[in-house]
């Protein structure tokens, strides 16, 4: 059986109703990645249309509510205190500041508001403060998401009690390559936090980063890991490394844009009901590659990387692209003046 046959058989098995959770081998995911490009996109779009309405793009806005000074050493991250990247550490933002930013995101068309804090693991008093931020975001009618580092079980329960809808914790890469990227925590630490989040009843947002110098088999290993979480995450952000000067990965060889599209397609095929989100690195892909990513099954984007009440050029560019592609998102409706 050739690689392409294997991938087709695997797809058919995935579509069959089954009480058993589907487990993806790294080899099966690799076989999908190796498909001819048109076959891969056809399979991905077929799965996508079977589970999602066409042209339904979720807009999620991310705000760094506590920036820099992190004791971890994730090789891609400018917020690590170990790397000299020029990022100025900032304390946790106030409820008023976050409320203003969330309102601006909502006004621009976002439906989910994600708050990121550069902690290794929050203290319980940090959780209490974040609970107030969650309340403010929820009060505006937005879905809330947080990414705060490693959590203990009782902290996840406290966030759920505060109304948190989603918790983001990425697996970053395959287990075999993880030690090349960060060595201040283990892969199992990541899995433990994800288990606490799931057990608390919070929806899971978990993805990874490609373009970190990994081999193709590591991309397959990452997708297999995420897809084999039981159940698999509701949101799967796929990032293309942004090479920040001062980080250890500043000179990593860039991923071929079509290989990035392949990863998106395979995420869609292996996790049919997940929101697959185009995340970091989207701007450097260009419009044509982003359009291919949507065709491959991406149905969520991070919308604008800075929240300015007026004149955010990234938001304008995103609205223009969505309009050009004929997507009827809330952002396009805002652009057309259909929302105040
Ligand atoms: S834990 Fe998060 S903030 Fe800290 S270095 Fe890693 S990615 Fe950056």
């Amino acid at each position: 059986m050739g690689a392409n046959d294997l991938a087709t058989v695997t797809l058919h098995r995935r579509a069959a109703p089954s009480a058993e959770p589907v487990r993806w081998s790294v080899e099966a995911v690799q076989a999908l990645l190796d498909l001819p490009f048109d076959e891969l996109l056809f399979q991905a779009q077929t799965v996508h249309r079977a589970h999602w309405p066409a042209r339904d793009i979720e807009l999620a806005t991310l705000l760094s509510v506590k920036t820099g000074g992190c004791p971890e050493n994730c090789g891609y991250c400018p917020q690590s205190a170990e790397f000299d990247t020029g990022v100025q550490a900032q304390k946790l933002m106030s409820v008023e500041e976050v409320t203003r930013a969330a309102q601006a995101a909502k006004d621009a068309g976002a439906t989910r508001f994600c708050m990121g804090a550069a902690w290794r693991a929050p203290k319980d008093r940090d959780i209490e403060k974040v609970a107030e931020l969650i309340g403010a975001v929820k009060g505006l009618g937005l879905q809330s998401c947080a990414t705060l580092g490693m959590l203990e079980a009782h902290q996840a329960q406290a966030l759920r009690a505060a109304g948190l809808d989603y918790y983001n914790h990425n697996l970053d890469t395959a287990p075999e390559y993880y030690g090349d990227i960060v060595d201040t925590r283990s892969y199992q630490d990541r899995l433990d936090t994800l288990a606490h989040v799931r057990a608390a009843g919070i929806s899971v947002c978990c993805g990874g980063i490609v373009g970190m110098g990994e081999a193709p088999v590591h991309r397959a290993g990452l997708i297999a890991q995420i897809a084999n979480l039981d159940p698999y995450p509701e949101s799967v952000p796929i990032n293309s490394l942004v090479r920040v000067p001062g980080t250890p990965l500043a000179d990593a060889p860039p991923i071929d844009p079509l290989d990035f599209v392949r990863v998106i397609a395979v995420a869609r095929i292996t996790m049919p009901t997940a929101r697959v989100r185009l995340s970091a690195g989207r701007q450097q892909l260009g419009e044509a590659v982003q359009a291919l990513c949507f065709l491959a099954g991406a149905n969520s984007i991070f919308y604008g990387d800075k929240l300015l009440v007026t004149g955010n050029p990234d938001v304008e560019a995103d609205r223009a692209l969505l309009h050009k592609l004929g997507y009827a998102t809330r952002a396009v409706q805002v652009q057309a003046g259909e929302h105040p």
Side-chain angles (χ1 to χ4, degrees):
M1 181 184 287
N4 296 352
D5 299 327
L6 174 63
T8 304
V9 167
T10 305
L11 175 63
H12 289 161
R13 195 193 65 204
R14 179 67 185 83
S18 168
E20 295 293 317
V22 174
R23 288 201 59 81
W24 288 90
S25 68
V26 175
E27 293 74 21
V29 176
Q30 182 71 61
L32 287 169
L33 283 171
D34 290 342
L35 283 171
F37 195 74
D38 63 332
E39 178 62 26
L40 177 58
L41 259 63
F42 177 73
Q43 290 196 18
Q45 182 64 201
T46 302
V47 171
H48 187 72
R49 291 293 182 106
H51 294 86
W52 291 95
R55 299 175 295 281
D56 170 30
I57 306 292
E58 175 198 58
L59 303 175
T61 292
L62 173 64
L63 176 70
S64 177
V65 296
K66 184 270 173 192
T67 303
C70 181
E72 300 275 4
N73 67 354
C74 307
Y76 51 82
C77 181
Q79 300 200 62
S80 169
E82 284 197 22
F83 314 141
D84 185 8
T85 59
V87 168
Q88 298 293 319
Q90 292 174 355
K91 288 193 282 193
L92 186 66
M93 291 172 71
S94 68
V95 174
E96 292 71 27
E97 289 172 303
V98 171
T99 303
R100 273 198 300 277
Q103 182 66 59
K106 182 179 179 182
D107 291 346
T111 57
R112 188 184 300 183
F113 192 73
C114 309
M115 294 173 280
W119 285 311
R120 178 176 199 274
K123 298 181 174 61
D124 286 351
R125 66 171 181 269
D126 298 323
I127 295 288
E128 288 173 20
K129 292 177 189 161
V130 172
E132 289 182 48
L133 304 182
I134 293 167
V137 170
K138 297 285 288 181
L140 295 174
L142 289 162
Q143 290 182 333
S144 60
C145 177
T147 180
L148 314 172
M150 291 184 285
L151 293 183
E152 295 179 25
H154 72 279
Q155 294 178 318
Q157 289 159 10
L159 291 171
R160 180 67 193 130
L164 186 68
D165 297 302
Y166 289 81
Y167 193 82
N168 165 264
H169 203 59
N170 290 335
L171 285 175
D172 291 349
T173 188
E176 297 75 17
Y177 194 57
Y178 191 75
D180 288 48
I181 302 301
V182 52
D183 63 13
T184 50
R185 64 175 172 226
S186 70
Y187 213 76
Q188 189 59 48
D189 289 334
R190 307 243 96 191
L191 294 170
D192 289 347
T193 289
L194 290 169
H196 294 327
V197 169
R198 182 60 83 192
I202 301 170
S203 294
V204 172
C205 173
C206 176
I209 308 171
V210 293
M212 298 196 293
E214 74 282 348
V217 70
H218 297 137
R219 293 173 199 150
L222 168 67
I223 296 296
Q225 279 286 328
I226 301 170
N228 288 337
L229 293 173
D230 183 19
Y232 59 72
E234 284 80 5
S235 286
V236 180
I238 303 292
N239 300 274
S240 174
L241 177 69
V242 177
R243 294 172 295 161
V244 180
T247 62
L249 291 172
D251 298 320
I255 185 173
D256 185 306
L258 295 184
D259 286 340
F260 183 78
V261 177
R262 287 178 177 277
V263 176
I264 295 283
V266 172
R268 167 53 64 223
I269 291 168
T270 55
M271 294 171 273
T273 62
R275 282 277 182 188
V276 175
R277 179 175 307 128
L278 283 184
S279 303
R282 187 165 60 84
Q283 306 297 346
Q284 69 205 23
L285 295 175
E287 289 193 341
V289 175
Q290 289 184 64
L292 279 176
C293 289
F294 294 137
L295 194 62
N299 61 350
S300 177
I301 59 171
F302 271 136
Y303 181 55
D305 63 359
K306 285 198 175 71
L307 287 175
L308 305 176
V309 176
T310 57
N312 183 339
D314 293 326
V315 166
E316 295 303 321
D318 285 342
R319 283 182 188 168
L321 174 60
L322 294 169
H323 181 73
K324 199 187 296 188
L325 296 174
Y327 292 171
T329 64
R330 190 172 179 278
V332 173
Q333 292 165 347
V334 169
Q335 185 179 34
E338 294 170 19
H339 279 272

